[in-house]
Amino acid sequence: MAGRSSISRNPAIQKAVEELIADGATIDEVQDAVADYGISRSAVGRYAKRYRPLVDGVIRDNALRAALKRNMPDVDS
């Protein structure tokens, strides 16, 4: 079994990487931000490959929710 990612070993780095990915940063931009911590570009790429679909799903869900809220009549409970 593979070990933990060099990104997920440090919660502060993981949070920073996730925020950068969620903000739309490229793999190179994320790697530049964490290079001083010894995080490789390939580690960032592997992490982004797993994390980006989650971000895309949240963005899609939020857009759908907003569209429904705009276009559905108000219903009083």
Side-chain angles (χ1 to χ4, degrees), residues 23-64:
D23 289 342
T26 65
I27 291 172
D28 289 328
E29 291 168 338
V30 174
Q31 198 278 323
D32 287 344
V34 296
D36 291 342
Y37 299 96
I39 307 296
S40 68
R41 186 182 188 285
S42 62
V44 172
R46 285 189 304 271
Y47 194 85
K49 187 175 182 179
R50 288 190 312 265
Y51 187 72
R52 199 162 283 179
L54 297 174
V55 171
D56 291 341
V58 169
I59 291 169
R60 193 173 36 256
D61 290 349
N62 288 342
L64 178 60

